[in-house]
Amino acid sequence: GAVVSQHPSWVICKSGTSVKIECRSLDFQATTMFWYRQFPKQSLMLMATSNEGSKATYEQGVEKDKFLINHASLTLSTLTVTSAHPEDSSFYICSARMGSSYNEQFFGPGTRLTVL
Amino acid sequence: EDQVTQSPEALRLQEGESSSLNCSYTVSGLRGLFWYRQDPGKGPEFLFTLYSAGEEKEKERLKATLTKKESFLHITAPKPEDSATYLCAVQAGGDMRFGAGTRLTVKP
């Protein structure tokens, strides 16, 4: 199956710093990439959708100036959490999809962010 | 509004005890229904896509079925390694909407 990687797998940072998370599709070209957030024992919450070369579309309630998304190529998307605060601590998961919205998304392994 | 509801929230089975997980949905213009498995601290792993009512797909001990209102994930003779959270998601329009998941525990 299609493989999606994320880096780093976990990160601990101080409050006020920025953290960048990378998401790569390793063996396919991802037309669309998605960023999700997941709290313990809860389901995935979509944060934003990005298409290569276009601005990301953010879900209601997600601050686009705080969660910067760049989808520079068909295999790479980055999420930067700017001026992170403890409430931003969460499990961030990206996914990638090739082609149309009839196709499945393939998920990365997730990044555990802890903000002290 | 599109909704996806999974039941039960949690399910405990003995090894070998077959059962089914349910995913009911109300969406307009279903493009696909997806089942994923998620282990703790990991991203979801793709299992199946179903596109139309009556469709069935199988993989090892898992079988997914789809009707116009719901999908079932049947687990036959489960093993402890089948323990995980199973997520159902529906694609309608541009968004994939996830259910809350069913936490499956299979005891040896």
Side-chain angles (χ1 to χ4, degrees):
Chain A
V3 180
V4 177
S5 69
Q6 272 183 251
H7 178 80
S9 55
W10 59 270
V11 57
I12 301 173
C13 68
K14 292 182 179 180
S15 187
T17 61
S18 293
V19 174
K20 180 185 281 189
I21 303 169
E22 287 188 355
C23 175
R24 293 182 185 272
S25 57
L26 299 185
D27 52 1
F28 68 100
Q29 292 190 322
T31 316
T32 309
M33 285 185 161
F34 305 83
W35 286 96
Y36 293 84
R37 185 173 179 174
Q38 188 175 35
F39 291 104
K41 296 191 176 180
Q42 292 187 26
S43 193
L44 289 80
M45 183 189 82
L46 180 65
M47 298 176 65
T49 302
S50 73
N51 293 292
E52 183 259 342
S54 303
K55 286 186 178 180
T57 302
Y58 290 81
E59 294 299 299
Q60 194 170 10
V62 178
E63 301 174 59
K64 61 181 180 181
D65 294 331
K66 181 167 186 62
F67 299 99
L68 302 179
I69 292 172
N70 184 282
H71 191 165
S73 76
L74 285 171
T75 59
L76 173 65
S77 177
T78 60
L79 168 68
T80 302
V81 184
T82 61
S83 186
H85 289 93
E87 57 266 29
D88 299 323
S89 298
S90 190
F91 192 51
Y92 291 87
I93 311 175
C94 74
S95 71
R97 184 182 71 201
M98 61 183 110
S100 79
S101 59
Y102 289 85
N103 297 335
E104 55 272 10
Q105 295 177 24
F106 295 97
F107 286 83
T111 297
R112 172 75 57 194
L113 170 63
T114 303
V115 184
L116 302 176
Chain B
E1 185 182 316
D2 298 344
Q3 285 197 329
V4 182
T5 305
Q6 289 188 250
S7 61
E9 186 176 315
L11 181 62
R12 298 170 75 89
L13 299 173
Q14 286 296 128
E15 183 172 3
E17 180 187 0
S18 301
S19 189
S20 294
L21 283 54
N22 178 264
C23 171
S24 62
Y25 62 92
T26 52
V27 297
S28 37
L30 178 73
R31 295 190 176 188
L33 185 141
F34 306 87
W35 282 97
Y36 290 87
R37 168 192 170 130
Q38 187 176 24
D39 292 297
K42 296 187 178 180
E45 174 192 343
F46 171 72
L47 295 174
F48 303 110
T49 308
L50 301 167
Y51 291 109
S52 56
E55 191 175 359
E56 298 184 353
K57 288 194 176 171
E58 284 189 69
K59 179 181 177 181
E60 296 179 355
R61 295 180 290 283
L62 300 177
K63 178 177 167 181
T65 62
L66 180 65
T67 72
K68 288 186 178 179
K69 293 184 179 180
E70 58 191 349
S71 176
F72 291 94
L73 184 65
H74 307 277
I75 302 178
T76 303
K79 297 182 177 181
E81 53 261 42
D82 294 323
S83 297
T85 296
Y86 290 85
L87 298 169
C88 163
V90 295
Q91 181 81 42
D95 290 345
M96 179 179 280
R97 186 173 294 271
F98 281 86
T102 293
R103 279 195 317 280
L104 174 65
T105 304
V106 182
K107 297 236 172 203

